[in-house]
Amino acid sequence: METAQGLGVVGNMPTAGQVSRRKPLIDAANVEKSYGATRVLRGVSFQVRAGEIHALLGGNGAGKSTLIRIITGLTSRDAGDIAVSSAKLSRGGPIIAVVHQELALVPELSVAENIGIVHAKSGLSQSSRHRMRDIALNALRLIDAAIGEEIVDLPARKLSLHEGQIVEIARALSTGAEVLLLDEPTANLTAGETAKLFCVLKRLARDEGIGIVFVSHRMREIRELCDVCTILRDGITVANGTPLASLSDAEIIQQMGQSTHRSGAQLKRRERSREGTPVELLGPDGAILEIWPGTILGLAGAPAGPTGLIDPLVGAGKGAGWRLSGEGLADGFSSPAAAARAGIGFVSGDRAAKGILSQLPIVDNVLAARRVRDNRRIVGAAERQECSDLVSALKLKAGSIWDLPASLSGGNQQKLIVARWLGLPLRMVVLEEPTRGVDIGTKHDIYALIREMADTGAIIVWWSTENVELLELCDVIFAFDTEGRPKGFLPDERFTEDGLAELTGMAA
């Protein structure tokens, strides 16, 4: 299969009615993939046609990312067939481009260099710079001639997120691919930038015949942009190229997985937690979240909403105007260290950037919160024993507490970050997508640890983009819409996936 970081331009494409009858650009049938004993894909089928905007849907763990890696040639498949055909008579197969929400541009290079560098035979000579500029302008004109002239000579670091994505797409167009896969491309965009991006994508599909695959959790955006959808659940295809107009949001949620209802254990914990003194979170719009000790509060919706609430809680900034109110608590904290000393723990799903201290051994990682709280640096005998006990209790597969975290798997690294807060007198633990990128067994281990913390009376604030996870773990869920605005608590009678999707405007 021919693959590259590029996107093709195809002229004289058929009308919308003809598109559905054309041979697919990509035709994947009965694709299977396992990692050890875990079957990730169990017979997935998926087709993409020229001029079609196709939503690829499914909850986290459904197999979307694995399927994309297989289609683009980054991962091999165990079984199944993938046929690749071109709408161009001169090519045997389309080039496939993937544009992720995190841009892959070199900040100090110009837009022309970022686009043209994939065509450079060697180095950045003066002649190649002129050629790169011509290539870049030609590609940008296919999207927006005016913006092309405006940004072509700017360094990439000066671009807005929307402009950066335009450059990514233009780079893809310059290499001649015919299928564009966009993985959560609107996650970091404003509403205005999203609208501009959608105009570009619709025109590329309509006028240039590009086949576009759109991966998103936002139902409103999916309906606004896409023609058809394929839905994956537990590694199988449950809807294959189905017109979106024929499915309601509730039907899509149902096909993605069973709706989850609040468990008896959650109800009992919620009733029991109505003791002690509650903490109030005061919102910028006058919203007041009264949270009782021992409550597991879920945060759902687009990242702008939960992160705006979390930042002031953990001393990472003023956020979006949220304030903390409670006995002995300030409106916010000047630093994460100040929050930790006030009994506020924090666990991030971004292990590399916000969690793991990669150059320090496991013992220093486990004891980091205790060191900050007590302003200590020396590892004493008692601390070494405490760390060993925690490592043993968490079943961390570590050779020694003096090994570096790199010796642990990703799941065990995440357990290590959670372990920092175990056994400490905490008023609140804030968790930011703490199970991202870990296997299902580790997820349930982390769930058990968090429930133990809640049982000690700590308030748990849990942000996740997995609706199923929130519904399984949390006592109450506070939702934000796709613009990050507060929407309120999920009602008890609607404590289901479709209820949460309706409130947030997102499916997960």
Side-chain angles (χ1 to χ4, degrees), residues 69 94 116 215 276 304 437 450-451 461 505:
R69 287 197 298 271
V215 179
I450 297 309
R451 290 186 181 108
V461 179

Side-chain angles (χ1 to χ4, degrees), residues 34-40:
S34 296
Y35 293 98
T38 304
R39 296 185 67 193
V40 180

Side-chain angles (χ1 to χ4, degrees), residues 321-360:
W322 286 91
R323 294 185 296 113
L324 186 62
S325 176
E327 184 179 346
L329 296 174
D331 284 352
F333 301 103
S334 59
S335 68
R341 294 188 185 107
I344 310 294
F346 176 60
V347 175
S348 172
D350 190 347
R351 293 185 291 273
K354 299 181 184 179
I356 291 294
L357 306 172
S358 61
Q359 301 305 310
L360 295 178

Side-chain angles (χ1 to χ4, degrees), residues 25-273:
L25 297 173
I26 298 174
D27 189 354
N30 302 313
V31 176
E32 298 182 12
K33 180 66 179 179
S34 296
Y35 293 98
T38 304
R39 296 185 67 193
V40 180
L41 300 181
R42 299 185 292 146
V44 166
S45 296
F46 178 60
Q47 293 82 35
V48 181
R49 291 176 169 80
E52 174 183 84
I53 304 182
H54 196 131
L56 179 59
L57 307 178
N60 289 12
K64 303 188 301 295
S65 296
T66 300
L67 177 62
I68 288 174
R69 287 197 298 271
I70 290 173
I71 288 173
T72 55
L74 296 177
T75 299
S76 63
R77 62 188 183 275
D78 297 335
D81 299 307
I82 297 180
V84 177
S85 303
S86 175
K88 296 180 178 179
L89 296 178
S90 60
R91 180 188 294 146
I95 298 173
I96 302 166
V98 181
V99 175
H100 300 280
Q101 57 179 285
E102 302 297 336
L103 301 181
L105 302 177
V106 181
E108 299 308 318
L109 293 185
S110 70
V111 167
E113 290 165 343
N114 268 285
I115 293 174
I117 198 168
V118 296
H119 303 273
K121 294 181 179 178
S122 63
L124 293 175
S125 66
Q126 193 60 36
S127 61
S128 72
R129 288 179 190 274
H130 287 299
R131 180 170 176 268
M132 285 180 180
R133 195 175 190 279
D134 290 339
I135 290 171
L137 279 174
N138 288 335
L140 286 164
R141 287 187 188 113
L142 293 170
I143 300 171
D144 186 325
I147 197 174
E149 296 287 351
E150 183 179 332
I151 69 174
V152 68
D153 296 314
L154 290 178
R157 60 181 168 78
K158 290 191 175 182
L159 302 178
S160 69
L161 282 170
H162 167 65
E163 290 169 340
Q165 285 191 321
I166 292 299
V167 173
E168 291 257 28
I169 294 172
R171 180 165 60 190
L173 283 166
S174 75
T175 60
E178 298 176 54
V179 178
L180 177 62
L181 297 114
L182 298 114
D183 189 3
E184 297 283 358
T186 63
N188 298 314
L189 298 184
T190 66
E193 289 173 333
T194 295
K196 291 177 183 178
L197 176 64
F198 284 5
C199 287
V200 169
L201 297 177
K202 288 176 181 178
R203 194 179 64 74
L204 288 175
R206 182 189 66 240
D207 298 346
E208 310 296 340
I210 304 301
I212 295 173
V213 179
F214 184 69
V215 179
S216 176
H217 293 304
R218 303 180 178 188
M219 289 304 305
R220 179 179 60 79
E221 293 182 357
I222 290 164
R223 290 202 177 278
E224 181 181 344
L225 179 67
C226 302
D227 309 310
V228 298
C229 69
T230 290
I231 303 174
L232 306 186
R233 184 177 74 230
D234 298 329
I236 62 173
T237 302
V238 294
N240 190 356
T242 304
L244 272 165
S246 69
L247 294 171
S248 67
D249 286 0
E251 287 171 329
I252 290 173
I253 298 301
Q254 184 179 22
Q255 292 195 48
M256 286 172 61
Q258 296 286 331
S259 291
T260 303
H261 297 269
R262 191 196 305 274
S263 70
Q266 288 169 308
L267 292 171
K268 289 179 181 178
R269 185 170 55 244
R270 186 179 180 189
E271 292 171 3
R272 188 175 64 250
S273 70

Side-chain angles (χ1 to χ4, degrees), residues 362 365-366 387-401 407-420 442 445 449:
I362 290 169
N365 274 271
V366 170
C387 178
S388 295
D389 291 344
L390 285 169
V391 167
S392 177
L394 292 172
K395 300 177 182 177
L396 291 178
K397 297 178 180 178
S400 165
I401 64 172
S407 66
L408 301 174
S409 68
N412 280 312
Q413 288 181 16
Q414 196 66 8
K415 283 186 185 180
L416 183 153
I417 300 172
V418 175
R420 291 175 180 169
T442 301
D445 288 344
L449 293 171

